[in-house]
Amino acid sequence: MKFLQFIVVGAIIGLVVGMLNLPSYTIAIAAVVLFIGIMGNFFYVTMYTKNLKKIEKVIKSNRKNPIYRSLQLLAEGTDEEFEESLEVILKKYKNTKYEGTYGALLAMMRGDFEQAHRYNERLLHKEVGQYTNYIIDIVSGKEIEDVPAFKQSWMNSSIEAHKAFMSHDVHAFEDFSKQATEQAKGIQYYGNYYTFKRMRNKLSEEFQTQ
Protein backbone atom coordinates (compact mmCIF):
# COMPACT_ATOMS: atom_id res chain seq x y z
CA MET A 1 0.00 0.00 0.00
CA LYS A 2 1.30 3.43 -0.91
CA PHE A 3 2.18 5.88 1.87
CA LEU A 4 -0.65 8.27 0.92
CA GLN A 5 -3.16 5.42 0.99
CA PHE A 6 -1.92 4.44 4.45
CA ILE A 7 -2.46 8.00 5.68
CA VAL A 8 -5.97 8.10 4.22
CA VAL A 9 -6.93 4.78 5.82
CA GLY A 10 -5.42 5.94 9.10
CA ALA A 11 -7.44 9.15 8.93
CA ILE A 12 -10.63 7.19 8.33
CA ILE A 13 -9.88 4.98 11.34
CA GLY A 14 -9.32 8.12 13.42
CA LEU A 15 -12.62 9.60 12.25
CA VAL A 16 -14.52 6.41 13.10
CA VAL A 17 -12.88 6.18 16.51
CA GLY A 18 -13.73 9.84 17.15
CA MET A 19 -17.37 9.30 16.21
CA LEU A 20 -17.54 6.38 18.63
CA ASN A 21 -16.00 8.53 21.36
CA LEU A 22 -13.35 5.91 22.17
CA PRO A 23 -10.06 6.64 24.00
CA SER A 24 -7.36 8.33 21.89
CA TYR A 25 -4.88 5.50 22.43
CA THR A 26 -7.27 3.29 20.45
CA ILE A 27 -6.26 5.22 17.34
CA ALA A 28 -2.60 4.40 17.89
CA ILE A 29 -3.36 0.73 18.50
CA ALA A 30 -5.54 0.54 15.39
CA ALA A 31 -2.84 2.24 13.30
CA VAL A 32 -0.16 -0.18 14.53
CA VAL A 33 -2.39 -3.17 13.83
CA LEU A 34 -3.14 -1.80 10.36
CA PHE A 35 0.55 -1.25 9.62
CA ILE A 36 1.52 -4.73 10.82
CA GLY A 37 -1.27 -6.25 8.76
CA ILE A 38 -0.20 -4.40 5.61
CA MET A 39 3.49 -5.16 6.01
CA GLY A 40 2.79 -8.76 7.01
CA ASN A 41 0.75 -9.29 3.87
CA PHE A 42 3.42 -7.63 1.72
CA PHE A 43 6.12 -9.84 3.25
CA TYR A 44 4.04 -12.98 2.78
CA VAL A 45 3.21 -12.21 -0.85
CA THR A 46 6.75 -11.25 -1.87
CA MET A 47 8.49 -14.06 0.03
CA TYR A 48 6.17 -17.05 0.36
CA THR A 49 3.08 -17.20 -1.80
CA LYS A 50 2.75 -19.02 -5.10
CA ASN A 51 -0.38 -17.13 -6.08
CA LEU A 52 0.55 -15.27 -9.27
CA LYS A 53 -2.44 -12.94 -9.07
CA LYS A 54 -1.49 -11.77 -5.58
CA ILE A 55 2.13 -11.25 -6.62
CA GLU A 56 1.09 -9.39 -9.77
CA LYS A 57 -1.13 -7.11 -7.69
CA VAL A 58 1.80 -6.16 -5.44
CA ILE A 59 4.09 -5.65 -8.44
CA LYS A 60 1.63 -3.41 -10.28
CA SER A 61 0.89 -1.36 -7.16
CA ASN A 62 4.65 -0.70 -6.84
CA ARG A 63 5.47 -0.31 -10.54
CA LYS A 64 6.94 3.17 -10.02
CA ASN A 65 9.86 1.36 -8.43
CA PRO A 66 12.18 0.38 -11.34
CA ILE A 67 12.74 -3.13 -9.98
CA TYR A 68 9.01 -3.89 -9.77
CA ARG A 69 8.52 -2.24 -13.16
CA SER A 70 11.08 -4.62 -14.67
CA LEU A 71 9.22 -7.58 -13.15
CA GLN A 72 6.00 -6.37 -14.74
CA LEU A 73 7.73 -6.07 -18.13
CA LEU A 74 9.28 -9.51 -17.70
CA ALA A 75 5.73 -10.81 -17.77
CA GLU A 76 4.08 -8.39 -20.18
CA GLY A 77 6.72 -6.56 -22.21
CA THR A 78 8.86 -7.25 -25.26
CA ASP A 79 12.54 -8.11 -24.95
CA GLU A 80 13.38 -4.52 -25.86
CA GLU A 81 11.08 -3.09 -23.19
CA PHE A 82 12.47 -5.45 -20.59
CA GLU A 83 16.05 -4.51 -21.48
CA GLU A 84 15.18 -0.82 -21.20
CA SER A 85 13.75 -1.43 -17.73
CA LEU A 86 17.04 -3.06 -16.71
CA GLU A 87 18.94 -0.01 -17.96
CA VAL A 88 16.78 2.18 -15.72
CA ILE A 89 17.66 0.01 -12.73
CA LEU A 90 21.38 0.27 -13.50
CA LYS A 91 21.18 4.06 -13.68
CA LYS A 92 19.23 4.36 -10.45
CA TYR A 93 21.19 1.81 -8.42
CA LYS A 94 24.73 2.37 -9.70
CA ASN A 95 27.47 0.82 -7.52
CA THR A 96 25.01 -1.24 -5.47
CA LYS A 97 24.24 -4.96 -5.19
CA TYR A 98 21.44 -4.41 -7.69
CA GLU A 99 23.94 -3.33 -10.34
CA GLY A 100 25.65 -6.71 -10.11
CA THR A 101 22.43 -8.69 -10.45
CA TYR A 102 20.66 -6.68 -13.14
CA GLY A 103 23.84 -5.75 -14.97
CA ALA A 104 24.73 -9.43 -15.39
CA LEU A 105 21.20 -10.17 -16.61
CA LEU A 106 21.24 -7.34 -19.16
CA ALA A 107 24.70 -8.32 -20.41
CA MET A 108 23.56 -11.93 -20.87
CA MET A 109 20.51 -10.83 -22.83
CA ARG A 110 22.81 -8.88 -25.13
CA GLY A 111 25.28 -11.74 -25.50
CA ASP A 112 28.14 -9.98 -23.73
CA PHE A 113 29.17 -12.78 -21.38
CA GLU A 114 32.49 -11.26 -20.33
CA GLN A 115 30.64 -8.17 -19.15
CA ALA A 116 28.09 -10.39 -17.41
CA HIS A 117 30.89 -12.06 -15.45
CA ARG A 118 32.35 -8.67 -14.53
CA TYR A 119 29.02 -7.51 -13.13
CA ASN A 120 28.58 -10.78 -11.26
CA GLU A 121 32.04 -10.72 -9.65
CA ARG A 122 30.81 -8.66 -6.71
CA LEU A 123 28.21 -11.34 -5.92
CA LEU A 124 30.45 -14.43 -6.07
CA HIS A 125 30.70 -14.56 -2.27
CA LYS A 126 26.96 -15.30 -2.19
CA GLU A 127 25.09 -18.37 -3.37
CA VAL A 128 23.11 -16.33 -5.89
CA GLY A 129 26.36 -15.08 -7.42
CA GLN A 130 27.78 -18.59 -7.72
CA TYR A 131 24.51 -19.73 -9.29
CA THR A 132 24.54 -16.83 -11.75
CA ASN A 133 28.13 -17.66 -12.66
CA TYR A 134 27.04 -21.10 -13.87
CA ILE A 135 24.06 -19.66 -15.73
CA ILE A 136 26.32 -17.21 -17.59
CA ASP A 137 28.64 -20.04 -18.64
CA ILE A 138 25.75 -22.27 -19.74
CA VAL A 139 24.06 -19.54 -21.79
CA SER A 140 27.42 -18.62 -23.37
CA GLY A 141 27.64 -22.19 -24.69
CA LYS A 142 30.19 -23.71 -22.31
CA GLU A 143 29.87 -27.37 -21.34
CA ILE A 144 29.16 -27.55 -17.62
CA GLU A 145 29.46 -30.92 -15.91
CA ASP A 146 30.22 -30.73 -12.19
CA VAL A 147 27.84 -28.30 -10.51
CA PRO A 148 27.66 -28.24 -6.70
CA ALA A 149 24.29 -28.69 -5.02
CA PHE A 150 22.91 -25.33 -3.94
CA LYS A 151 20.92 -24.90 -0.74
CA GLN A 152 18.05 -23.38 -2.69
CA SER A 153 16.71 -26.31 -4.68
CA TRP A 154 15.21 -24.15 -7.42
CA MET A 155 18.73 -23.09 -8.41
CA ASN A 156 19.72 -26.71 -9.10
CA SER A 157 16.62 -27.29 -11.24
CA SER A 158 17.10 -23.97 -13.02
CA ILE A 159 20.64 -24.87 -14.01
CA GLU A 160 19.40 -28.15 -15.50
CA ALA A 161 16.59 -26.28 -17.28
CA HIS A 162 19.10 -23.87 -18.82
CA LYS A 163 21.26 -26.80 -19.96
CA ALA A 164 18.22 -28.39 -21.59
CA PHE A 165 17.29 -25.08 -23.22
CA MET A 166 20.74 -24.69 -24.77
CA SER A 167 20.67 -28.28 -26.08
CA HIS A 168 17.08 -27.85 -27.34
CA ASP A 169 15.86 -30.75 -25.21
CA VAL A 170 12.22 -29.70 -24.90
CA HIS A 171 11.09 -32.51 -22.60
CA ALA A 172 13.95 -32.04 -20.13
CA PHE A 173 13.42 -28.29 -20.24
CA GLU A 174 9.73 -28.68 -19.39
CA ASP A 175 10.48 -30.99 -16.48
CA PHE A 176 13.27 -28.93 -14.93
CA SER A 177 11.67 -25.53 -15.56
CA LYS A 178 8.48 -26.66 -13.81
CA GLN A 179 10.52 -27.96 -10.89
CA ALA A 180 12.48 -24.72 -10.64
CA THR A 181 9.25 -22.73 -10.61
CA GLU A 182 7.45 -24.89 -8.06
CA GLN A 183 10.47 -24.95 -5.76
CA ALA A 184 10.54 -21.15 -5.58
CA LYS A 185 8.28 -18.80 -3.61
CA GLY A 186 7.08 -15.21 -3.76
CA ILE A 187 8.85 -12.87 -6.18
CA GLN A 188 11.28 -15.64 -7.12
CA TYR A 189 8.35 -17.86 -8.08
CA TYR A 190 6.99 -15.06 -10.26
CA GLY A 191 10.40 -14.42 -11.81
CA ASN A 192 11.01 -18.09 -12.57
CA TYR A 193 7.52 -18.56 -13.99
CA TYR A 194 7.84 -15.77 -16.54
CA THR A 195 11.54 -16.31 -17.30
CA PHE A 196 10.89 -19.91 -18.26
CA LYS A 197 7.75 -18.90 -20.13
CA ARG A 198 9.88 -16.60 -22.30
CA MET A 199 12.43 -19.36 -22.83
CA ARG A 200 9.67 -21.82 -23.69
CA ASN A 201 8.32 -19.41 -26.32
CA LYS A 202 11.79 -19.03 -27.84
CA LEU A 203 12.15 -22.80 -28.10
CA SER A 204 8.78 -23.00 -29.84
CA GLU A 205 9.76 -20.25 -32.28
CA GLU A 206 13.01 -22.05 -33.13
CA PHE A 207 11.23 -25.33 -33.86
CA GLN A 208 8.63 -23.56 -36.00
CA THR A 209 11.33 -22.01 -38.19
CA GLN A 210 13.14 -25.34 -38.75
Side-chain angles (χ1 to χ4, degrees):
M1 181 178 290
K2 298 177 181 178
F3 183 67
L4 179 59
Q5 292 174 319
F6 181 77
I7 292 176
V8 171
V9 173
I12 293 173
I13 291 176
L15 178 61
V16 172
V17 171
M19 291 173 63
L20 295 175
N21 198 28
L22 296 174
S24 58
Y25 64 79
T26 306
I27 299 176
I29 294 174
V32 169
V33 171
L34 173 66
F35 180 76
I36 292 174
I38 292 171
M39 294 309 297
N41 180 69
F42 180 83
F43 180 76
Y44 171 75
V45 171
T46 56
M47 298 296 293
Y48 290 105
T49 190
K50 293 184 179 182
N51 187 316
L52 280 176
K53 289 185 178 180
K54 288 183 177 181
I55 301 171
E56 286 169 353
K57 185 177 180 180
V58 167
I59 287 173
K60 289 182 178 180
S61 66
N62 290 278
R63 60 181 174 272
K64 289 186 178 180
N65 181 308
I67 292 176
Y68 285 94
R69 175 62 176 163
S70 73
L71 286 168
Q72 182 181 6
L73 289 174
L74 172 66
E76 302 174 358
T78 62
D79 285 350
E80 291 74 18
E81 290 172 332
F82 182 53
E83 287 183 20
E84 288 174 2
S85 73
L86 296 177
E87 290 176 346
V88 173
I89 293 174
L90 294 183
K91 289 178 181 178
K92 183 175 178 63
Y93 298 104
K94 191 173 181 61
N95 297 320
T96 68
K97 61 181 180 180
Y98 299 114
E99 186 179 41
T101 300
Y102 294 98
L105 176 56
L106 179 59
M108 274 194 287
M109 291 187 69
R110 293 177 172 172
D112 189 344
F113 302 109
E114 290 185 5
Q115 177 76 333
H117 274 302
R118 285 195 292 272
Y119 271 117
N120 190 54
E121 278 180 0
R122 69 192 67 183
L123 300 173
L124 287 177
H125 64 288
K126 297 182 177 181
E127 187 176 53
V128 66
Q130 296 162 23
Y131 158 78
T132 302
N133 203 54
Y134 282 107
I135 294 296
I136 295 170
D137 284 342
I138 292 168
V139 176
S140 70
K142 291 184 179 180
E143 292 291 333
I144 304 296
E145 297 296 336
D146 298 323
V147 180
F150 291 103
K151 292 180 181 179
Q152 298 193 60
S153 56
W154 69 263
M155 291 182 176
N156 303 310
S157 299
S158 177
I159 285 174
E160 294 303 322
H162 278 79
K163 285 183 180 180
F165 174 82
M166 293 302 295
S167 62
H168 303 280
D169 187 336
V170 177
H171 295 298
F173 173 78
E174 286 296 334
D175 289 341
F176 286 116
S177 64
K178 287 179 181 178
Q179 287 179 33
T181 301
E182 289 302 317
Q183 289 164 348
K185 298 176 183 178
I187 293 294
Q188 189 62 59
Y189 175 85
Y190 178 96
N192 285 5
Y193 180 89
Y194 284 110
T195 294
F196 290 123
K197 182 178 180 180
R198 280 176 174 267
M199 293 170 70
R200 186 175 297 109
N201 291 340
K202 291 184 184 300
L203 277 180
S204 297
E205 290 171 3
E206 290 180 7
F207 277 107
Q208 288 175 3
T209 57
Q210 289 180 356

